[in-house]
Amino acid sequence: MHLHSFVTQFWPSTVDGVTLGSIYALFALGYTLVYGVLKLINFAHSEVFMVGTMSAMWIMHFLNISAIQSGFALVGALLLAALFSMGGSAATALALERVAYRPLRRRGASRLAALISAIGASFVLQQVFEVYYSNQYSNFPRLFKHSTLFNIGSAQITTDRVLIVVAAVVMMVALERTVALTKLGRGIRAVAQDPETATLMGVNIDRTIMYTFLLGGIMAGVAAVLWNVRFEQTRFDIGFLPGIKAFTAAVLGGIGNIRGALLGGLIIGLLELYGASVFGSQWRDTTVFVVLVLVLLFRPSGLLGESLARARA
Amino acid sequence: MLLEVDDVHVFYGAVEALKGISLQVAKGEIVALIGANGAGKTTTLKMISGVRPVKTGKVRFDGQDITHMPGHKRVDLGLCQAPEGRGIFPGMTVVENLEMGAFNRKGSLTEDFDRVYDLFPRLAERRKQVGGTMSGGEQQMLAIGRALMARPEVLLLDEPSMGLAPKLVSQIFSIIRQINAQGTTVLLVEQNAVQALTLAHRAYVLEIGKIVRSAPAADLLADDSVRAAYLGGDLGASA
């Protein structure tokens, strides 16, 4: 135990925890949305994220963008990276739905079959990138200077951290509003709450499921480009650990619950950093999962409990 | 005929739930489907709405073969259902549930909201209430109102009286009559046979997946064998 370092590291840990947590939260939305609608954990969602990090990195390399940019060039490069990341992730999510899930659904296969299909798809995607792209880390260029804007306690608030948290919050609010207020969102909620009655209302279930994967994929894509900005490298298996943590965040907040994903993501991010400062950084992952086990023992439905079915949004 | 079901067989796995059902509903009618629990009444309505697949046989709507049309497209044709157990979306408000009824419609819904609130003033008072917290009677009103939001040609009602107090049952049935008088054809499934036969023009009697009688409702109501089988014990209580 290093309580002293917890105290001295408190503000930096908090800032880094919130930064990391907002990436987890975006990532977690894909698990939560798909679970809400299909009652299925899309274990290949970690690869949806991985393809996003790869796509953003690829376009930077392809266009030879490797140095600090400024002004319009910076905005353009960031938008391009985000666009490719979202596009790559969304396309992967849609392809997974088509190839790995829809055929099983058509045949009325059990959820266990879909779960195995998900794990299989996850391996396939990883191996494809490992074999045909690279088994080494590739760098994502630093596009802007990570300069300090101001301090909170001993923590430096840098431009990259601000960008990550602001982008994540904007995307989460946009998603929450989409699900709460649009026709698409009403369709998603209807299918989550009662698929057969949704059909009786004229909702096309297959199309709604497709849109759900699309939304989850876009969110994972944003998480992926923010991950690149923060950690500046990616590899074929980059999705694995953050994927498990994002899934943990979704379960912690209450799987199927959009606000739960936000809460869960932030808590996981903070726990990871606090755990590292109290027990040493080799314990950061362990801390996260011990807390998950404890929460599930005492609150199996997660902190906010409600699923997408019951929740208003 | 507006709706025609011709020798339809439906299976749940190896179990044959409908063993060759044929029925017709003409424009403007109220037709009742009565029978004991497990006779296949709900399966018949679900089959007509396209959420139970037809193995053999034909379903026609307004002359068009819809046997294998996906359920969500049938709503656009004008086949709308207030399902068994009401199917209220528990996390949605009254307004959102009603909007779900008009899911594929374009243009203003003001007139339709007015019509539903006019038929069910109770719903107007509860616009912002979440469906899951409403009473059974209110949920039934919401289910019927929601089906009306699609401006149905044929309204399919599955057990609208289920679990309701007798006073509320007669209120719901008088509203169904009113909806029919405004030009909507009604196909009604009921265990409450007396109420159903009093309301309907014609009726079919279902027994374990087969139609065993088809006659004007008044005839069935007067028929001793039907009375003995379906109207029996609760005749006095619910008539």
Side-chain angles (χ1 to χ4, degrees), chain A residues 104-152:
Chain A
L104 292 176
R105 206 164 66 238
R106 286 275 157 79
R107 289 179 179 80
S110 70
R111 296 221 176 93
L112 194 59
L115 191 72
I116 292 165
S117 180
I119 293 170
S122 169
F123 277 122
V124 168
L125 281 166
Q126 279 194 32
Q127 308 271 294
V128 163
F129 274 84
E130 184 182 8
V131 172
Y132 293 102
Y133 187 71
S134 166
N135 60 357
Q136 299 298 311
Y137 276 106
S138 314
N139 291 325
F140 183 81
R142 181 168 293 207
L143 296 170
F144 56 95
K145 269 181 119 158
H146 295 179
S147 44
T148 304
L149 293 170
F150 56 94
N151 291 298
I152 298 180

Short mmCIF file of all heavy atoms in Angstrom, two decimals, chain A residues 104-152:
data_model
loop_
_atom_site.label_atom_id
_atom_site.label_comp_id
_atom_site.label_asym_id
_atom_site.label_seq_id
_atom_site.Cartn_x
_atom_site.Cartn_y
_atom_site.Cartn_z
N LEU A 104 -27.44 -16.52 -37.81
CA LEU A 104 -27.82 -17.33 -36.64
C LEU A 104 -29.22 -16.95 -36.18
O LEU A 104 -30.02 -17.79 -35.80
CB LEU A 104 -26.83 -17.10 -35.50
CG LEU A 104 -25.42 -17.63 -35.73
CD1 LEU A 104 -24.52 -17.25 -34.56
CD2 LEU A 104 -25.45 -19.14 -35.89
N ARG A 105 -29.50 -15.63 -36.21
CA ARG A 105 -30.81 -15.15 -35.77
C ARG A 105 -31.90 -15.72 -36.66
O ARG A 105 -32.94 -16.14 -36.19
CB ARG A 105 -30.81 -13.62 -35.84
CG ARG A 105 -31.76 -12.98 -34.88
CD ARG A 105 -31.46 -11.51 -34.70
NE ARG A 105 -31.66 -10.73 -35.90
CZ ARG A 105 -30.72 -10.00 -36.48
NH1 ARG A 105 -29.52 -9.96 -35.98
NH2 ARG A 105 -30.98 -9.31 -37.57
N ARG A 106 -31.65 -15.72 -37.96
CA ARG A 106 -32.61 -16.24 -38.94
C ARG A 106 -32.98 -17.68 -38.63
O ARG A 106 -34.11 -18.11 -38.82
CB ARG A 106 -32.03 -16.17 -40.35
CG ARG A 106 -32.00 -14.79 -40.92
CD ARG A 106 -33.33 -14.44 -41.57
NE ARG A 106 -33.52 -13.01 -41.65
CZ ARG A 106 -32.96 -12.23 -42.56
NH1 ARG A 106 -32.21 -12.77 -43.47
NH2 ARG A 106 -33.17 -10.94 -42.53
N ARG A 107 -31.98 -18.45 -38.17
CA ARG A 107 -32.23 -19.87 -37.91
C ARG A 107 -32.72 -20.10 -36.49
O ARG A 107 -32.86 -21.23 -36.06
CB ARG A 107 -30.95 -20.67 -38.14
CG ARG A 107 -30.58 -20.78 -39.60
CD ARG A 107 -29.29 -21.57 -39.79
NE ARG A 107 -28.95 -21.67 -41.19
CZ ARG A 107 -28.36 -20.71 -41.88
NH1 ARG A 107 -28.04 -19.57 -41.29
NH2 ARG A 107 -28.09 -20.86 -43.16
N GLY A 108 -32.92 -19.03 -35.76
CA GLY A 108 -33.40 -19.17 -34.39
C GLY A 108 -32.39 -19.83 -33.47
O GLY A 108 -32.76 -20.55 -32.54
N ALA A 109 -31.09 -19.60 -33.72
CA ALA A 109 -30.06 -20.22 -32.90
C ALA A 109 -30.07 -19.65 -31.48
O ALA A 109 -30.57 -18.54 -31.25
CB ALA A 109 -28.69 -20.01 -33.54
N SER A 110 -29.49 -20.38 -30.54
CA SER A 110 -29.48 -19.94 -29.15
C SER A 110 -28.49 -18.79 -28.96
O SER A 110 -27.63 -18.55 -29.81
CB SER A 110 -29.07 -21.10 -28.24
OG SER A 110 -27.70 -21.38 -28.44
N ARG A 111 -28.62 -18.08 -27.84
CA ARG A 111 -27.70 -16.97 -27.55
C ARG A 111 -26.28 -17.49 -27.38
O ARG A 111 -25.32 -16.80 -27.69
CB ARG A 111 -28.14 -16.26 -26.28
CG ARG A 111 -29.48 -15.62 -26.45
CD ARG A 111 -29.55 -14.26 -25.81
NE ARG A 111 -30.85 -13.70 -26.11
CZ ARG A 111 -31.89 -13.82 -25.31
NH1 ARG A 111 -31.76 -14.43 -24.15
NH2 ARG A 111 -33.05 -13.33 -25.66
N LEU A 112 -26.16 -18.71 -26.88
CA LEU A 112 -24.84 -19.29 -26.69
C LEU A 112 -24.14 -19.43 -28.04
O LEU A 112 -22.95 -19.13 -28.16
CB LEU A 112 -24.98 -20.66 -26.01
CG LEU A 112 -23.68 -21.22 -25.44
CD1 LEU A 112 -23.08 -20.28 -24.42
CD2 LEU A 112 -23.93 -22.58 -24.83
N ALA A 113 -24.88 -19.85 -29.06
CA ALA A 113 -24.30 -19.97 -30.40
C ALA A 113 -23.81 -18.61 -30.88
O ALA A 113 -22.72 -18.49 -31.44
CB ALA A 113 -25.33 -20.54 -31.36
N ALA A 114 -24.59 -17.56 -30.63
CA ALA A 114 -24.20 -16.21 -31.05
C ALA A 114 -22.94 -15.76 -30.31
O ALA A 114 -22.07 -15.10 -30.87
CB ALA A 114 -25.34 -15.24 -30.81
N LEU A 115 -22.84 -16.15 -29.05
CA LEU A 115 -21.68 -15.77 -28.25
C LEU A 115 -20.41 -16.42 -28.81
O LEU A 115 -19.36 -15.78 -28.95
CB LEU A 115 -21.91 -16.23 -26.80
CG LEU A 115 -20.92 -15.71 -25.78
CD1 LEU A 115 -21.16 -14.23 -25.54
CD2 LEU A 115 -21.04 -16.47 -24.48
N ILE A 116 -20.53 -17.70 -29.17
CA ILE A 116 -19.38 -18.41 -29.74
C ILE A 116 -19.02 -17.79 -31.08
O ILE A 116 -17.85 -17.58 -31.40
CB ILE A 116 -19.72 -19.91 -29.87
CG1 ILE A 116 -19.84 -20.52 -28.46
CG2 ILE A 116 -18.64 -20.64 -30.67
CD1 ILE A 116 -20.49 -21.86 -28.42
N SER A 117 -20.03 -17.46 -31.86
CA SER A 117 -19.81 -16.80 -33.14
C SER A 117 -19.06 -15.48 -32.93
O SER A 117 -18.15 -15.13 -33.68
CB SER A 117 -21.16 -16.57 -33.81
OG SER A 117 -21.00 -15.94 -35.04
N ALA A 118 -19.43 -14.75 -31.87
CA ALA A 118 -18.79 -13.47 -31.57
C ALA A 118 -17.31 -13.67 -31.24
O ALA A 118 -16.45 -12.94 -31.74
CB ALA A 118 -19.50 -12.80 -30.40
N ILE A 119 -17.03 -14.65 -30.41
CA ILE A 119 -15.64 -14.89 -30.02
C ILE A 119 -14.84 -15.33 -31.25
O ILE A 119 -13.71 -14.88 -31.47
CB ILE A 119 -15.57 -15.95 -28.90
CG1 ILE A 119 -16.21 -15.37 -27.62
CG2 ILE A 119 -14.13 -16.38 -28.63
CD1 ILE A 119 -16.44 -16.38 -26.52
N GLY A 120 -15.42 -16.16 -32.07
CA GLY A 120 -14.78 -16.60 -33.31
C GLY A 120 -14.46 -15.43 -34.22
O GLY A 120 -13.34 -15.29 -34.72
N ALA A 121 -15.45 -14.55 -34.40
CA ALA A 121 -15.26 -13.39 -35.27
C ALA A 121 -14.14 -12.51 -34.73
O ALA A 121 -13.34 -11.95 -35.49
CB ALA A 121 -16.56 -12.60 -35.38
N SER A 122 -14.07 -12.40 -33.41
CA SER A 122 -13.04 -11.59 -32.77
C SER A 122 -11.64 -12.13 -33.10
O SER A 122 -10.74 -11.39 -33.51
CB SER A 122 -13.31 -11.58 -31.26
OG SER A 122 -12.24 -11.03 -30.57
N PHE A 123 -11.47 -13.44 -32.96
CA PHE A 123 -10.18 -14.06 -33.30
C PHE A 123 -9.83 -13.84 -34.77
O PHE A 123 -8.71 -13.49 -35.11
CB PHE A 123 -10.22 -15.57 -33.01
CG PHE A 123 -9.94 -15.88 -31.56
CD1 PHE A 123 -10.87 -16.57 -30.79
CD2 PHE A 123 -8.74 -15.50 -30.98
CE1 PHE A 123 -10.62 -16.85 -29.47
CE2 PHE A 123 -8.48 -15.78 -29.65
CZ PHE A 123 -9.42 -16.46 -28.89
N VAL A 124 -10.81 -14.07 -35.63
CA VAL A 124 -10.56 -13.95 -37.07
C VAL A 124 -10.05 -12.55 -37.39
O VAL A 124 -9.03 -12.38 -38.06
CB VAL A 124 -11.83 -14.27 -37.87
CG1 VAL A 124 -11.65 -13.87 -39.34
CG2 VAL A 124 -12.16 -15.76 -37.77
N LEU A 125 -10.73 -11.53 -36.88
CA LEU A 125 -10.34 -10.16 -37.19
C LEU A 125 -8.93 -9.86 -36.68
O LEU A 125 -8.11 -9.26 -37.39
CB LEU A 125 -11.34 -9.18 -36.60
CG LEU A 125 -12.63 -9.02 -37.41
CD1 LEU A 125 -13.70 -8.31 -36.60
CD2 LEU A 125 -12.35 -8.26 -38.71
N GLN A 126 -8.63 -10.29 -35.46
CA GLN A 126 -7.28 -10.07 -34.93
C GLN A 126 -6.22 -10.71 -35.79
O GLN A 126 -5.22 -10.10 -36.14
CB GLN A 126 -7.18 -10.66 -33.52
CG GLN A 126 -7.76 -9.79 -32.44
CD GLN A 126 -7.33 -10.27 -31.06
OE1 GLN A 126 -6.24 -10.80 -30.89
NE2 GLN A 126 -8.18 -10.07 -30.07
N GLN A 127 -6.48 -11.97 -36.15
CA GLN A 127 -5.47 -12.72 -36.91
C GLN A 127 -5.28 -12.14 -38.31
O GLN A 127 -4.17 -12.11 -38.81
CB GLN A 127 -5.89 -14.19 -37.02
CG GLN A 127 -6.22 -14.80 -35.68
CD GLN A 127 -5.02 -15.41 -35.01
OE1 GLN A 127 -4.46 -16.38 -35.49
NE2 GLN A 127 -4.60 -14.84 -33.89
N VAL A 128 -6.38 -11.68 -38.90
CA VAL A 128 -6.27 -11.08 -40.22
C VAL A 128 -5.32 -9.89 -40.16
O VAL A 128 -4.42 -9.74 -40.99
CB VAL A 128 -7.66 -10.67 -40.76
CG1 VAL A 128 -7.52 -9.67 -41.91
CG2 VAL A 128 -8.43 -11.90 -41.21
N PHE A 129 -5.47 -9.05 -39.13
CA PHE A 129 -4.61 -7.88 -39.03
C PHE A 129 -3.18 -8.28 -38.65
O PHE A 129 -2.22 -7.67 -39.09
CB PHE A 129 -5.18 -6.86 -38.03
CG PHE A 129 -6.16 -5.94 -38.68
CD1 PHE A 129 -7.49 -6.31 -38.82
CD2 PHE A 129 -5.76 -4.71 -39.19
CE1 PHE A 129 -8.40 -5.47 -39.45
CE2 PHE A 129 -6.66 -3.87 -39.82
CZ PHE A 129 -7.98 -4.25 -39.94
N GLU A 130 -3.06 -9.31 -37.85
CA GLU A 130 -1.72 -9.74 -37.45
C GLU A 130 -0.96 -10.32 -38.66
O GLU A 130 0.20 -9.99 -38.89
CB GLU A 130 -1.81 -10.80 -36.35
CG GLU A 130 -0.44 -11.21 -35.84
CD GLU A 130 -0.50 -12.30 -34.79
OE1 GLU A 130 -1.60 -12.85 -34.55
OE2 GLU A 130 0.55 -12.60 -34.18
N VAL A 131 -1.65 -11.14 -39.42
CA VAL A 131 -0.98 -11.84 -40.52
C VAL A 131 -0.79 -10.92 -41.73
O VAL A 131 0.29 -10.87 -42.30
CB VAL A 131 -1.78 -13.11 -40.92
CG1 VAL A 131 -1.19 -13.73 -42.19
CG2 VAL A 131 -1.78 -14.10 -39.77
N TYR A 132 -1.86 -10.22 -42.10
CA TYR A 132 -1.77 -9.44 -43.34
C TYR A 132 -1.31 -8.00 -43.14
O TYR A 132 -0.98 -7.32 -44.10
CB TYR A 132 -3.12 -9.46 -44.07
CG TYR A 132 -3.46 -10.83 -44.57
CD1 TYR A 132 -4.37 -11.64 -43.90
CD2 TYR A 132 -2.83 -11.35 -45.72
CE1 TYR A 132 -4.66 -12.92 -44.35
CE2 TYR A 132 -3.11 -12.62 -46.17
CZ TYR A 132 -4.03 -13.40 -45.48
OH TYR A 132 -4.31 -14.67 -45.92
N TYR A 133 -1.31 -7.50 -41.90
CA TYR A 133 -0.81 -6.15 -41.72
C TYR A 133 0.52 -6.19 -40.97
O TYR A 133 1.57 -6.06 -41.59
CB TYR A 133 -1.84 -5.26 -41.03
CG TYR A 133 -1.39 -3.82 -40.99
CD1 TYR A 133 -1.36 -3.06 -42.16
CD2 TYR A 133 -0.94 -3.26 -39.80
CE1 TYR A 133 -0.90 -1.75 -42.14
CE2 TYR A 133 -0.49 -1.95 -39.77
CZ TYR A 133 -0.46 -1.21 -40.94
OH TYR A 133 0.00 0.07 -40.92
N SER A 134 0.46 -6.40 -39.67
CA SER A 134 1.70 -6.44 -38.91
C SER A 134 1.43 -6.97 -37.51
O SER A 134 0.33 -6.80 -36.99
CB SER A 134 2.29 -5.03 -38.81
OG SER A 134 3.30 -5.02 -37.83
N ASN A 135 2.45 -7.62 -36.92
CA ASN A 135 2.29 -8.02 -35.53
C ASN A 135 3.02 -7.06 -34.60
O ASN A 135 3.19 -7.32 -33.43
CB ASN A 135 2.76 -9.46 -35.33
CG ASN A 135 4.23 -9.63 -35.68
OD1 ASN A 135 4.87 -8.67 -36.13
ND2 ASN A 135 4.75 -10.83 -35.49
N GLN A 136 3.50 -5.95 -35.16
CA GLN A 136 4.20 -4.94 -34.37
C GLN A 136 3.31 -3.72 -34.13
O GLN A 136 2.35 -3.49 -34.87
CB GLN A 136 5.45 -4.47 -35.12
CG GLN A 136 6.44 -5.58 -35.39
CD GLN A 136 6.98 -6.19 -34.11
OE1 GLN A 136 7.41 -5.48 -33.22
NE2 GLN A 136 6.91 -7.52 -34.00
N TYR A 137 3.70 -2.94 -33.12
CA TYR A 137 3.00 -1.68 -32.91
C TYR A 137 3.29 -0.71 -34.06
O TYR A 137 4.42 -0.64 -34.53
CB TYR A 137 3.43 -1.04 -31.59
CG TYR A 137 2.68 -1.58 -30.39
CD1 TYR A 137 3.29 -2.45 -29.49
CD2 TYR A 137 1.35 -1.22 -30.18
CE1 TYR A 137 2.60 -2.96 -28.42
CE2 TYR A 137 0.65 -1.72 -29.10
CZ TYR A 137 1.27 -2.59 -28.22
OH TYR A 137 0.58 -3.08 -27.16
N SER A 138 2.26 0.01 -34.51
CA SER A 138 2.47 1.09 -35.46
C SER A 138 2.14 2.40 -34.75
O SER A 138 1.25 2.44 -33.90
CB SER A 138 1.54 0.94 -36.66
OG SER A 138 1.54 -0.37 -37.13
N ASN A 139 2.85 3.44 -35.14
CA ASN A 139 2.66 4.72 -34.44
C ASN A 139 1.58 5.57 -35.09
O ASN A 139 1.43 5.60 -36.30
CB ASN A 139 3.96 5.51 -34.42
CG ASN A 139 4.97 4.83 -33.52
OD1 ASN A 139 4.60 4.25 -32.49
ND2 ASN A 139 6.23 4.88 -33.91
N PHE A 140 0.87 6.25 -34.24
CA PHE A 140 -0.05 7.28 -34.69
C PHE A 140 0.65 8.61 -34.41
O PHE A 140 1.12 8.83 -33.29
CB PHE A 140 -1.37 7.18 -33.93
CG PHE A 140 -2.41 8.17 -34.40
CD1 PHE A 140 -3.18 7.90 -35.52
CD2 PHE A 140 -2.63 9.35 -33.71
CE1 PHE A 140 -4.15 8.81 -35.95
CE2 PHE A 140 -3.59 10.26 -34.14
CZ PHE A 140 -4.34 9.98 -35.27
N PRO A 141 0.76 9.49 -35.43
CA PRO A 141 1.57 10.70 -35.24
C PRO A 141 0.95 11.66 -34.22
O PRO A 141 -0.27 11.71 -34.07
CB PRO A 141 1.57 11.33 -36.64
CG PRO A 141 0.33 10.82 -37.28
CD PRO A 141 0.14 9.44 -36.76
N ARG A 142 1.82 12.38 -33.55
CA ARG A 142 1.33 13.46 -32.67
C ARG A 142 1.01 14.65 -33.57
O ARG A 142 1.89 15.18 -34.24
CB ARG A 142 2.38 13.81 -31.63
CG ARG A 142 1.91 14.89 -30.68
CD ARG A 142 2.84 15.04 -29.49
NE ARG A 142 2.78 13.84 -28.63
CZ ARG A 142 3.04 13.89 -27.32
NH1 ARG A 142 3.36 15.01 -26.72
NH2 ARG A 142 2.98 12.79 -26.60
N LEU A 143 -0.28 15.03 -33.58
CA LEU A 143 -0.73 16.05 -34.53
C LEU A 143 -0.67 17.46 -33.95
O LEU A 143 -0.65 18.43 -34.68
CB LEU A 143 -2.16 15.76 -34.98
CG LEU A 143 -2.34 14.45 -35.77
CD1 LEU A 143 -3.80 14.13 -35.97
CD2 LEU A 143 -1.62 14.55 -37.11
N PHE A 144 -0.70 17.54 -32.62
CA PHE A 144 -0.62 18.87 -32.01
C PHE A 144 0.17 18.75 -30.71
O PHE A 144 0.30 17.65 -30.15
CB PHE A 144 -2.00 19.46 -31.75
CG PHE A 144 -2.89 18.58 -30.90
CD1 PHE A 144 -2.98 18.77 -29.53
CD2 PHE A 144 -3.65 17.56 -31.49
CE1 PHE A 144 -3.80 17.97 -28.75
CE2 PHE A 144 -4.48 16.75 -30.70
CZ PHE A 144 -4.55 16.96 -29.35
N LYS A 145 0.71 19.87 -30.26
CA LYS A 145 1.49 19.86 -29.03
C LYS A 145 0.58 19.63 -27.83
O LYS A 145 -0.47 20.27 -27.70
CB LYS A 145 2.21 21.19 -28.86
CG LYS A 145 3.59 21.23 -29.47
CD LYS A 145 4.19 22.58 -29.21
CE LYS A 145 5.45 22.53 -28.39
NZ LYS A 145 6.24 23.77 -28.64
N HIS A 146 0.98 18.69 -26.98
CA HIS A 146 0.17 18.42 -25.78
C HIS A 146 0.60 19.39 -24.69
O HIS A 146 1.19 19.01 -23.69
CB HIS A 146 0.34 16.97 -25.34
CG HIS A 146 -0.19 15.99 -26.35
ND1 HIS A 146 -0.14 14.64 -26.20
CD2 HIS A 146 -0.78 16.18 -27.56
CE1 HIS A 146 -0.68 14.03 -27.25
NE2 HIS A 146 -1.07 14.95 -28.09
N SER A 147 0.27 20.66 -24.90
CA SER A 147 0.74 21.66 -23.95
C SER A 147 -0.25 21.83 -22.81
O SER A 147 -1.44 21.54 -22.94
CB SER A 147 0.96 22.99 -24.67
OG SER A 147 -0.12 23.24 -25.53
N THR A 148 0.27 22.31 -21.69
CA THR A 148 -0.56 22.46 -20.50
C THR A 148 -1.38 23.74 -20.58
O THR A 148 -0.85 24.81 -20.87
CB THR A 148 0.34 22.51 -19.25
OG1 THR A 148 1.13 21.33 -19.23
CG2 THR A 148 -0.50 22.59 -17.98
N LEU A 149 -2.69 23.59 -20.37
CA LEU A 149 -3.57 24.76 -20.41
C LEU A 149 -3.68 25.40 -19.04
O LEU A 149 -3.63 26.60 -18.89
CB LEU A 149 -4.96 24.34 -20.90
CG LEU A 149 -5.03 23.87 -22.36
CD1 LEU A 149 -6.38 23.26 -22.67
CD2 LEU A 149 -4.75 25.04 -23.29
N PHE A 150 -3.88 24.55 -18.02
CA PHE A 150 -3.95 25.05 -16.64
C PHE A 150 -3.71 23.87 -15.70
O PHE A 150 -3.54 22.73 -16.18
CB PHE A 150 -5.28 25.73 -16.34
CG PHE A 150 -6.48 24.88 -16.60
CD1 PHE A 150 -7.06 24.12 -15.58
CD2 PHE A 150 -7.06 24.84 -17.87
CE1 PHE A 150 -8.17 23.35 -15.82
CE2 PHE A 150 -8.19 24.06 -18.12
CZ PHE A 150 -8.74 23.31 -17.10
N ASN A 151 -3.67 24.14 -14.40
CA ASN A 151 -3.44 23.07 -13.43
C ASN A 151 -4.64 22.92 -12.50
O ASN A 151 -5.30 23.88 -12.16
CB ASN A 151 -2.20 23.39 -12.58
CG ASN A 151 -0.94 23.29 -13.41
OD1 ASN A 151 -0.60 22.22 -13.93
ND2 ASN A 151 -0.26 24.41 -13.57
N ILE A 152 -4.91 21.65 -12.12
CA ILE A 152 -5.83 21.40 -11.02
C ILE A 152 -5.01 20.67 -9.97
O ILE A 152 -4.58 19.54 -10.21
CB ILE A 152 -7.03 20.54 -11.43
CG1 ILE A 152 -7.86 21.25 -12.52
CG2 ILE A 152 -7.91 20.24 -10.22
CD1 ILE A 152 -9.05 20.46 -12.99
#
